[in-house]
Amino acid sequence: MRMRLVMGFIGCFFILLLARVYYISIKSNAYYDEIAKQNAIKTQFLAPIRGQILDIKGRPLAVNKLGFTISIKPYLYIKKNNNIFLEQELQAIVQAFPDLNITKLKKTYIKGDSYYNQDYIEVVPFIEYDMMIKHFTKLNLRENMQVKSTTQRFYPYNDLASHVIGYVGKANLNDMNENEIARLTSYVGRSGIERSYNDILQGQKGEKISKVDALNKEIEELSYKRPISSNITLNIDLDLQEYLAALFENLAGAAIIMDVNSGAILAAGSFPEYNLNPFVTGITQEEWNRLSNDLNHPFTNKLINGLYPPGSVVKMGTALAFLNSGKFNENQKFLCDSNFELGGRKFRCWKTIGHGFMDMNDAIRESCDVYFYKGALEVGIDIISSVFERIGFGEKTGVDLPNEFIGTVPSKMWKKEKYNQPWYQGETLNTSIGQGDFLATPMQVAKFTAMIATSKNVTPHFLYNIDDNITKLNFDNNNNNNKGVFTTFELSKLPLLRRAMYEVANEQGGTTARYLKNLPITIAAKTGTAQVVGISQSEKKRIKEEDLEYFLRSHAWITSYAPYEKPQYVVVLLIEHGKSGSSTGGPMLAKIYQKLIDLGYIDKKYIKKKVK
């Protein structure tokens, strides 16, 4: 009996042993084969080359320069006896490129050298192709050095359209955690179009799968999937953009040229501009301080982040609120005798002798402030602010630039929430002429003007296409454009507002007619002068702008569209401390429309024939 038990036990043992051998050798073969493959196969993700940014005619605004990186083999510092090899590699680099600092190179290497790192350590992130090519062979043959091709972002026009194009910068830890492409390229878009379309421009990673030996050396390439890059084309026309920059030389402000029917922006600038290229590799502290301390604020994108009192360029919106109220129509006249007194305070008109009796058309043509003061007092701030909010002020335009500001439309509720204070009638008067706490961006004024010209609620945008594919883009349907913002009653009143803007630019008394009426096309416009400082009530006469210190002078606005008969383009100019929208903005506006004609943008049938 005992013998049978012993034999049974031995039999069971051998059966279990054979079963285990069978499982390991046959059944687990796939499992261990997979482990073996993982040990022998290396997957390498390949960084894509950032896509180019082109103008509407295919000219490059942002490209990539070809160059090389220099990396050194790891463990040359940790293993003390290898220090001599590290010094030799560093000496070889600085001999080839004397401008490089050997101390900085060594610090960079030491920072990346550890027992956990098996990859070569990059010590020189970029050397231009022409500089490297004569040293390439000698350096690349060094056993402890690796020279690889790379690219670096480059802006061929330096500061041109800097606030629109934007720039790329080194990716930080947060960028790399959120964006796997940033981990490969080490760069992300930081501002402008570079940031708005970063996901497209950065491209898609590639993948290389190789068989390697125990020393991590590649034996065989098993598969290769190339990285994908995407270029984008903007509506920007380089010729127009350069022309705007020349007009604004030594001036501060903003300019926008936009298609009224689609919202496509042909040129736009925030001035002064700044050189984009130093930001790619890292700007010096000295240069940063110089730009930061510039009182003209070159870092501010004034197109969407510049908040200014819009002044008289929004009087068409105030007029629309007057008509909506039903309290009076466009034929109602108010007497302008140079000022309007309310609560012991005088609210002045810009014209010191007054305009006399003015109806709505007259008041817009000659920009009479008193007409709007008196009308606003009858209508009230509730109706005025609600109309301005509905037609786009106090909200984003939807333009494809990052961090757009919304501005401020003052109202009773706004003041209560912000300051916990009651509303005063004097604030209604200021708001009616685009002053006081009313703040808007040039982009909002451009969109507002396009709406008056066409009744359409278009979305301003710079992007034209991605890799020549424009079917995916449909900016015209953004922001509920199909719904529209004007009521049927308001649509019926837009022609009289357009007529008033026509008279501003073409009829006697029009604030900018002398600069615009003789152009080859018919323009509709509205000027504005936005005060930077208030006028003391003790002043009996308004101080002349030229008598004020520069930074106390008013901002000059002018907004317009043309041709008047069938609008094609909106042009908006803001000249900081430019004194007068008429005398400063008018001549500049005339030159821009002439440029549009010269470049063939204006339909020829709307160009007036010269009388011989």
Side-chain angles (χ1 to χ4, degrees):
M1 185 65 182
R2 289 180 180 177
M3 183 60 71
R4 288 178 181 176
L5 288 172
V6 171
M7 293 300 293
F9 177 78
I10 293 172
C12 288
F13 174 78
F14 277 102
I15 290 170
L16 290 171
L17 183 62
L18 289 171
R20 184 62 180 164
V21 170
Y22 173 79
Y23 178 79
I24 292 173
S25 60
I26 306 299
K27 290 291 185 181
S28 297
N29 180 65
Y31 171 74
Y32 288 106
D33 183 56
E34 184 62 32
I35 291 178
K37 283 182 180 178
Q38 290 177 11
N39 289 334
I41 293 174
K42 179 180 180 180
T43 300
Q44 182 181 2
F45 295 117
L46 307 173
I49 295 174
R50 193 171 182 87
Q52 296 184 86
I53 300 175
L54 310 171
D55 90 329
I56 194 69
K57 296 176 182 175
R59 293 169 291 192
L61 301 173
V63 295
N64 304 293
K65 285 200 299 186
L66 181 62
F68 296 88
T69 64
I70 303 176
S71 303
I72 298 176
K73 190 175 182 180
Y75 314 137
L76 299 186
Y77 183 77
I78 293 174
K79 297 177 181 179
K80 300 299 181 183
N81 58 329
N82 283 348
N83 271 352
I84 187 172
F85 297 117
L86 174 61
E87 294 296 334
Q88 288 173 353
E89 302 310 309
L90 295 175
Q91 286 292 341
I93 294 172
V94 295
Q95 283 176 11
F97 309 106
D99 291 340
L100 296 178
N101 187 304
I102 193 169
T103 303
K104 289 183 178 179
L105 296 179
K106 188 172 184 178
K107 284 182 179 179
T108 302
Y109 180 86
I110 292 171
K111 187 177 180 180
D113 195 23
S114 77
Y115 287 111
Y116 303 101
N117 177 44
Q118 298 182 21
D119 297 321
Y120 276 66
I121 300 163
E122 184 182 281
V123 292
V124 181
F126 188 81
I127 292 287
E128 289 189 18
Y129 180 89
D130 292 339
M131 294 176 63
M132 171 61 80
I133 203 66
K134 55 188 174 184
H135 304 290
F136 177 80
T137 304
K138 184 170 72 173
L139 293 178
N140 202 42
L141 288 174
R142 297 184 70 87
E143 183 180 351
N144 294 319
M145 191 179 294
Q146 191 178 74
V147 180
K148 284 187 174 182
S149 63
T150 188
T151 59
Q152 186 178 88
R153 203 58 160 174
F154 179 67
Y155 304 99
Y157 298 97
N158 295 317
D159 58 353
L160 188 70
S162 55
H163 299 86
V164 174
I165 299 168
Y167 60 86
V168 299
K170 279 282 189 180
N172 56 37
L173 188 59
N174 187 55
D175 296 323
M176 293 182 181
N177 288 335
E178 294 180 355
N179 186 338
E180 63 176 352
I181 305 299
R183 290 198 292 271
L184 296 172
T185 63
S186 300
Y187 285 94
V188 292
R190 287 289 179 215
S191 68
I193 292 297
E194 289 277 29
R195 179 171 174 181
S196 293
Y197 294 106
N198 183 67
D199 289 347
I200 295 168
L201 289 167
Q202 69 181 359
Q204 301 175 37
K205 67 182 179 183
E207 185 180 82
K208 179 181 177 182
I209 301 176
S210 310
K211 186 180 288 186
V212 296
D213 62 15
L215 298 176
N216 204 31
K217 289 186 177 180
E218 184 177 320
I219 300 171
E220 179 186 357
E221 184 181 296
L222 301 178
S223 70
Y224 181 87
K225 178 185 175 183
R226 70 179 183 84
I228 298 174
S229 297
S230 290
N231 297 331
I232 67 173
T233 300
L234 304 183
N235 292 301
I236 292 288
D237 183 329
L238 187 58
D239 298 319
L240 273 177
Q241 193 68 41
E242 289 180 321
Y243 192 73
L244 284 186
L247 279 180
F248 270 82
E249 187 177 6
N250 301 320
L251 295 175
I256 301 168
I257 304 174
M258 184 178 80
D259 187 313
V260 296
N261 297 297
S262 68
I265 298 174
L266 282 63
S270 173
F271 305 100
E273 298 177 307
Y274 59 93
N275 191 347
L276 295 168
N277 287 303
F279 289 86
V280 177
T281 53
I283 191 170
T284 65
Q285 188 64 48
E286 181 183 358
E287 182 65 7
W288 175 268
N289 291 338
R290 185 186 69 79
L291 291 169
S292 298
N293 295 328
D294 189 330
L295 295 177
N296 287 314
H297 305 292
F299 278 152
T300 300
N301 185 348
K302 296 166 186 176
L303 298 168
I304 58 168
N305 302 135
L307 295 177
Y308 307 88
S312 297
V313 294
V314 296
K315 281 180 177 173
M316 292 79 72
T318 308
L320 208 56
F322 288 179
L323 296 170
N324 260 330
S325 72
K327 294 189 176 182
F328 54 87
N329 61 29
E330 60 270 25
N331 298 316
Q332 172 71 46
K333 291 190 175 184
F334 293 107
L335 174 64
C336 170
D337 55 0
S338 81
N339 66 77
F340 176 64
E341 191 167 336
L342 176 68
R345 180 183 173 189
K346 288 184 178 180
F347 290 82
R348 295 178 174 86
C349 186
W350 69 268
K351 193 171 183 179
T352 55
I353 61 172
H355 288 92
F357 283 97
M358 295 263 111
D359 63 17
M360 185 173 287
N361 185 84
D362 300 332
I364 294 175
R365 181 185 66 239
E366 301 187 32
S367 204
C368 174
D369 294 331
V370 171
Y371 172 90
F372 287 94
Y373 293 151
K374 291 182 176 180
L377 198 61
E378 287 195 31
V379 171
I381 190 61
D382 292 336
I383 293 176
I384 294 172
S385 62
S386 65
V387 168
F388 274 119
E389 287 171 356
R390 181 159 49 81
I391 60 179
F393 290 97
E395 67 176 32
K396 295 182 179 182
T397 66
V399 67
D400 46 352
L401 290 177
N403 300 323
E404 181 182 10
F405 288 1
I406 65 171
T408 301
V409 176
S411 65
K412 293 176 182 177
M413 183 180 296
W414 167 82
K415 190 178 180 187
K416 185 69 175 175
E417 290 177 353
K418 188 171 180 65
Y419 298 111
N420 194 27
Q421 293 177 359
W423 183 263
Y424 298 106
Q425 288 183 321
E427 294 170 295
T428 301
L429 272 55
N430 281 331
T431 302
S432 72
I433 63 166
Q435 291 283 176
D437 291 310
F438 198 156
L439 296 174
T441 67
M443 196 63 69
Q444 288 173 327
V445 172
K447 181 174 180 176
F448 163 70
T449 307
M451 289 166 61
I452 295 293
T454 66
S455 312
K456 295 179 181 178
N457 182 18
V458 297
T459 299
H461 61 277
F462 291 94
L463 183 66
Y464 176 65
N465 68 36
I466 302 166
D467 287 335
D468 298 324
N469 181 4
I470 62 174
T471 59
K472 296 179 182 177
L473 309 177
N474 197 0
F475 288 100
D476 291 343
N477 289 327
N478 289 346
N479 289 352
N480 299 316
N481 286 325
N482 291 333
K483 284 176 58 180
V485 294
F486 295 120
T487 65
T488 303
F489 170 76
E490 289 170 338
L491 288 172
S492 72
K493 295 299 181 181
L494 289 182
L496 71 89
L497 300 180
R498 294 167 187 158
R499 176 65 194 183
M501 292 181 69
Y502 164 85
E503 293 188 10
V504 167
N506 297 280
E507 297 289 339
Q508 184 177 357
T511 53
T512 192
R514 61 176 171 153
Y515 302 109
L516 303 178
K517 67 180 179 180
N518 294 322
L519 279 173
I521 55 172
T522 305
I523 295 171
K526 184 69 191 80
T527 57
T529 302
Q531 287 179 252
V532 174
V533 292
I535 301 173
S536 171
Q537 290 293 300
S538 62
E539 294 285 346
K540 294 184 178 181
K541 197 173 182 181
R542 185 169 180 152
I543 303 171
K544 291 183 179 180
E545 291 285 344
E546 53 266 30
D547 294 333
L548 293 169
E549 293 181 20
Y550 173 78
F551 285 105
L552 299 180
R553 293 173 185 170
S554 300
H555 299 317
W557 282 96
I558 188 165
T559 189
S560 65
Y561 67 87
Y564 172 71
E565 301 86 347
K566 189 172 177 62
Q568 288 182 262
Y569 302 104
V570 157
V571 179
V572 174
L573 301 178
L574 165 72
I575 303 98
E576 290 184 354
H577 313 293
K579 300 184 292 186
S580 165
S582 173
S583 61
T584 305
M588 294 174 69
L589 190 73
K591 292 176 181 178
I592 291 171
Y593 277 112
Q594 187 60 57
K595 189 68 174 179
L596 285 168
I597 294 170
D598 295 343
L599 292 173
Y601 278 101
I602 304 294
D603 193 324
K604 289 182 180 179
K605 65 183 177 182
Y606 297 110
I607 298 175
K608 303 170 191 174
K609 292 181 180 179
K610 292 182 180 179
V611 178
K612 293 183 180 179

